Amino acid sequence: MAEQATALAVDVTHSFRAMASTVNLRVVDPLGDVSDRFAAVQDLFSAIERACTRFNDSSDLMRANAEPGAWTTVAPECFAAVRLAFDAHLATEGAFDPRILDSLTTFGYDRSLDFESGSVTTATLGRPDTDLAVRESWQPEFDDDRSAIRLGDRPIDLGGIGKGYAVRCGIELLRGAGTSALVEAGGDLATYGPGPHRDAGVSRCWRVSVEDPRDGSRAIAVLDASDAGVATSSIRLRSWRAGERQVHHLIDPRTGEPAESGLLAVTVVADDPAWAEVWTKACFLAGSANISKFAGSRDLAALWVNEDGRIGVSDAMNSRVLWRADHE
């Protein structure tokens, strides 16, 4: 007699727009009404975006950026995100550096761009490249009692790490709402619990597809993302033409230029989605020649795609890989 498939779990979902992304929430086998939890996550994303966006001059971040050498009292969400960015700067020995705002602005990324249209062109300010390079270690200051920050020598961008921080906080708000939950925002995600039910004979887990950076309609891998955070840094979407140059948003702080790393994308699975975001950037900057050693020395679960389409996987990622396109 054929084995019967298990019943599907009951899923409750909710979606909204924040941080230039669609945010998807999902609770499996809810333990009651989760509408208040969903509303709390949406309010959380709104608060973090309001405090940390660089596209509104009145945001807490941009008020601090206006005078980076002065003390600025900011919302708790901005204070926490800047502190997280500084921790990441130290942990990556400077590979993660948010002081790339001047570069992004120089290349025309001074406003929210319509990358989903598939073709973006901006003007460029044409400043000398040497003016954009970061030369000294970042040394911001923090006053916990006043929730005040002093950024240091130049303005910062909290785009990627701010989203990872929001996902981290969001999954904590959903924890315990059901047997499993997921928060996903523009490719950054976090899960808890065993995941949705699967057919009989297949273990439950959260399965995440990794898109092909050369063709977003195809997957190159499927990962087990159970009880983890996942982030991807890719030049597929946020790439545009600045004047006569083709550029992307992954800036090398050592040069102030879009990184020329020989990589198209890096995906990292970590315990925390904000740290997954941090390590994708650091791995990308390590470049195709060094990423295997870089990820291995830090026990990072990383998967990357070289410019020629070859897929690389770190030892720590192997146990998470359920399927790879080049291993069919």
Side-chain angles (χ1 to χ4, degrees):
M1 181 176 177
E3 190 175 27
Q4 297 295 313
T6 58
L8 291 177
V10 176
D11 282 14
V12 180
T13 62
H14 177 62
S15 299
F16 58 92
R17 290 288 296 180
M19 302 181 177
S21 303
T22 298
V23 182
N24 297 300
L25 312 180
R26 182 178 179 184
V27 172
V28 180
D29 292 330
L31 304 176
D33 185 2
V34 297
S35 57
D36 287 347
R37 301 254 198 157
F38 284 163
V41 175
Q42 186 164 343
D43 288 345
L44 168 81
F45 268 79
S46 295
I48 294 175
E49 180 175 27
R50 188 165 53 248
C52 298
T53 182
R54 64 181 177 88
F55 300 128
N56 184 340
D57 288 342
S58 64
S59 73
D60 294 76
L61 173 64
M62 292 307 288
R63 288 191 298 103
N65 275 340
E67 296 184 86
W71 284 102
T72 304
T73 300
V74 296
E77 295 84 2
C78 183
F79 188 90
V82 176
R83 164 97 23 118
L84 175 60
F86 181 51
D87 290 344
H89 182 73
L90 296 178
T92 62
E93 299 178 333
F96 179 89
D97 197 316
R99 293 175 295 171
I100 45 84
L101 181 57
D102 286 341
S103 292
L104 294 172
T105 300
T106 294
F107 299 131
Y109 196 2
D110 56 352
R111 61 196 183 281
S112 184
L113 301 176
D114 185 17
F115 292 114
E116 294 180 359
S117 69
S119 178
V120 174
T121 300
T122 66
T124 177
L125 300 182
R127 287 173 53 181
D129 294 346
T130 54
D131 286 352
L132 302 176
V134 172
R135 295 179 178 82
E136 303 294 335
S137 179
W138 186 34
Q139 297 181 340
E141 297 176 76
F142 301 89
D143 185 328
D144 294 82
D145 293 334
R146 295 190 297 131
S147 187
I149 56 177
R150 183 153 60 184
L151 295 178
D153 59 340
R154 63 173 72 193
I156 66 171
D157 170 50
L158 293 174
I161 199 168
K163 187 188 296 182
Y165 172 61
V167 172
R168 170 207 283 181
C169 296
I171 198 65
E172 289 306 312
L173 289 175
L174 294 186
R175 192 173 295 277
T179 60
S180 304
L182 172 143
V183 177
E184 185 270 329
D188 287 3
L189 64 88
T191 73
Y192 91 85
H197 286 291
R198 297 292 180 185
D199 290 341
V202 180
S203 61
R204 289 177 63 174
C205 68
W206 285 104
R207 298 180 180 194
V208 174
S209 295
V210 180
E211 73 173 20
D212 187 337
R214 301 161 299 173
D215 179 359
S217 66
R218 301 192 324 151
I220 57 166
V222 177
L223 307 177
D224 177 353
S226 301
D227 288 307
V230 183
T232 296
S233 287
S234 171
I235 62 174
R236 186 186 72 82
L237 183 60
R238 284 180 171 80
S239 179
W240 70 100
R241 192 160 192 83
E244 298 301 316
R245 298 182 58 189
Q246 191 68 30
V247 298
H248 59 77
H249 74 298
L250 297 174
I251 303 296
D252 186 336
R254 299 165 296 187
T255 64
E257 291 283 316
E260 297 181 2
S261 68
L263 297 169
L264 297 178
V266 178
T267 296
V268 168
V269 180
D271 292 338
D272 178 277
W275 281 99
E277 172 71 31
V278 167
W279 289 115
T280 62
K281 299 293 191 300
C283 284
F284 194 94
L285 291 178
S288 58
N290 299 313
I291 186 171
S292 181
K293 180 179 179 181
F294 182 88
S297 66
R298 292 160 178 81
D299 200 29
L300 298 175
L303 179 150
W304 58 92
V305 183
N306 291 284
E307 286 182 340
D308 60 8
R310 288 180 297 115
I311 299 172
V313 177
S314 69
D315 289 342
M317 180 65 97
N318 277 321
S319 63
R320 292 273 186 180
V321 178
L322 302 174
W323 171 81
R324 272 174 61 180
D326 60 347
H327 279 199
E328 292 182 291

